[in-house]
Amino acid sequence: MRDVVVCGVGLHKFGRFPDKTFEDLGQEAVLAALKDAHDMPWKDVQMAFCGTMHGGTAAGHRVLSGIGLTGIPIVNVETGCASGSSAFVLAWQQIAAGFCDTAIVIGVEKMPRGFMRMTSYPQWQVLSGLAINPLEFSLRATRHMAEYGTTIEQLAKVSVKSHRNGALNPYAMYRKAMTMEEVLASKMVCYPLRVMEFAAPGEGAGAVILSSSDVAKKYTHKPVKVAAACMGVAKYGTSRVGGGIGQMGHSARIHNTEVVTALSQQAYEFAGIGPEDLDVVELQDTDSSSEIILYEQLGLCKLGEGARLIDEGRTELTGDIPVNPGGGILSCSEPTGASALRQIAELTWQLRGDAGARQIVGARNGLAQASGAGGNCTVAILAS
């Protein structure tokens, strides 16, 4: 397999943009990524992959029609909230295997307001009022509290950290630091999680250009290598299996390895590093409890000790394992197709030393993790 390098990244700010179309958002991100890759000519791109959940038919084709339909393959990918990162893995595989030298990954979304209305839920779950995302997250949070003693205050600290970081990120939807008192005073949505502890839906776009390492020398003087890119689906008997499809895989007796744990171990082995070698992590903090649980599943700490990382400040910008320096989904919002590519862009800037006020000093290895409906999951490791 060939080494694959990130040549360029581009984002459209996350938020709400009623005067812009789906195609407008995507095209701005694509042009930004081409510019970031030392003004790469569009004709040099040989394949395109587009991740979106709400984009409709031929989403990538519609975006790229405004850039140039040059006859290259355009593949549209939907894996829920992991759509952008799944497209990233597919592009990486194509280049690593030698099928092309340069590919672009696009993630675009204009999400409806309110809770996600996913067609994957079975009708019985919709009619019984159980087809709303916060229910699944709150049950996971409550179980973690019961089993390991995680507190309401520790959940709130995650939100405080994320919003503090997001205030430094010009691409975030919510650029306002929040105090513990403000988070704890916000409206309860589904116990134990409050409105300031949930990610909001949003609009935005991201684009990442990948090339083989030899070709990438033409487009970047700060190469960031894709050291690993893994994807999979949760097994029966795990907490995230079947998310959004009726919770079909839960079991009171059987507990298999969580998909995040399995994929992160696979990624560590492929990259030749361990969790102790990570300098920065971007993970799917769909709610504040998810971040704490994912600390454990990624091997950043032992099972049940995730909340201690928050209490000890270890995941802050100045900690030994900064998590979500870009503000995470809690601060940036979650336009589902674009969100995971924002993670890749953030890691790329961090590893280049271009992250500005939120820069992690000396960052060399970064991990990005995304989860999607149906138990979809991706884990990627970037290295400078």
Side-chain angles (χ1 to χ4, degrees):
M1 297 180 68
R2 300 189 298 177
D3 286 343
V4 179
V5 171
V6 177
C7 292
V9 295
L11 293 180
H12 184 290
K13 178 178 168 62
F14 286 13
R16 288 292 179 183
F17 309 98
D19 298 330
K20 291 187 177 182
T21 66
F22 179 93
E23 292 79 10
D24 291 336
L25 301 180
Q27 288 162 13
E28 183 171 323
V30 170
L31 292 174
L34 290 168
K35 183 174 181 60
D36 188 52
H38 290 185
D39 293 312
M40 177 186 287
W42 174 245
K43 65 180 178 61
D44 289 1
V45 178
Q46 299 168 330
M47 296 188 76
F49 296 83
C50 178
T52 184
M53 183 173 165
H54 298 274
T57 304
H61 301 66
R62 299 191 334 258
V63 170
L64 294 178
S65 66
I67 304 295
L69 292 178
T70 54
I72 64 172
I74 304 172
V75 180
N76 296 290
V77 180
E78 187 277 304
T79 55
C81 301
S83 295
S85 52
S86 295
F88 178 86
V89 175
L90 293 175
W92 171 79
Q93 290 174 341
Q94 292 293 307
I95 298 170
F99 291 109
C100 71
D101 293 325
T102 300
I104 191 166
V105 187
I106 313 163
V108 196
E109 214 71 81
K110 282 182 75 74
M111 295 183 67
R113 294 182 182 273
F115 296 126
M116 292 185 191
R117 294 175 175 84
M118 296 186 291
T119 56
S120 56
Y121 283 116
Q123 190 67 5
W124 70 262
Q125 198 163 345
V126 175
L127 294 176
S128 59
L130 299 176
I132 299 177
N133 295 33
L135 175 64
E136 178 185 349
F137 306 139
S138 68
L139 289 174
R140 254 199 315 265
T142 303
R143 181 168 184 171
H144 200 271
M145 292 171 70
E147 291 185 345
Y148 304 115
T150 304
T151 67
I152 294 291
E153 290 74 19
Q154 288 167 330
L155 297 179
K157 286 180 181 180
V158 174
S159 181
V160 171
K161 174 183 68 69
S162 291
H163 285 91
R164 185 189 302 120
N165 294 349
L168 304 174
N169 186 354
Y171 294 97
M173 183 174 183
Y174 301 108
R175 298 193 62 196
K176 179 183 177 182
M178 304 290 292
T179 66
M180 276 280 289
E181 291 74 21
E182 288 174 316
V183 173
L184 291 173
S186 64
K187 184 177 180 179
M188 184 69 71
V189 176
C190 194
Y191 181 85
L193 300 170
R194 293 171 165 79
V195 68
M196 295 307 302
E197 296 170 321
F198 278 107
E203 303 174 8
V208 177
I209 299 174
L210 299 175
S211 292
S212 60
S213 57
D214 53 340
V215 171
K217 296 174 184 177
K218 296 166 51 179
Y219 305 115
T220 179
H221 298 317
K222 295 180 178 180
V224 173
K225 178 184 175 182
V226 183
C230 307
M231 63 179 172
V233 175
K235 294 181 180 180
Y236 175 86
T238 53
S239 65
R240 290 185 178 270
V241 69
I245 56 172
Q247 310 303 314
M248 294 183 294
H250 288 288
S251 170
R253 296 183 297 108
I254 299 172
H255 191 86
N256 286 315
T257 302
E258 295 289 339
V259 63
V260 176
T261 300
L263 289 180
S264 61
Q265 290 174 348
Q266 181 181 334
Y268 294 141
E269 182 176 355
F270 197 97
I273 65 171
E276 67 278 2
D277 298 310
L278 295 173
D279 301 304
V280 56
V281 172
E282 281 279 330
L283 55 75
Q284 177 121 359
D285 57 327
T286 314
D287 67 282
S288 56
S289 72
S290 288
E291 177 164 328
I292 289 175
I293 294 168
L294 286 168
Y295 293 164
E296 300 166 9
Q297 295 182 358
L298 290 168
L300 306 184
C301 62
K302 294 180 180 179
L303 191 64
E305 295 184 358
R308 286 180 54 189
L309 297 191
I310 283 289
D311 281 342
E312 296 170 359
R314 294 180 58 195
T315 56
E316 300 278 357
L317 290 178
T318 55
D320 63 305
I321 180 59
V323 174
N324 289 342
I329 302 174
L330 289 178
S331 181
C332 292
S333 80
E334 189 187 19
T336 47
S339 184
L341 294 186
R342 180 201 60 77
Q343 295 179 336
I344 298 296
E346 179 67 27
L347 291 185
T348 299
W349 290 325
Q350 290 286 348
L351 299 184
R352 288 178 179 172
D354 294 337
R358 60 190 189 281
Q359 178 66 49
I360 308 303
V361 178
R364 295 183 56 83
N365 295 307
L367 179 146
Q369 178 275 328
S371 303
N376 291 294
C377 183
T378 62
V379 174
I381 294 176
L382 304 187
S384 61

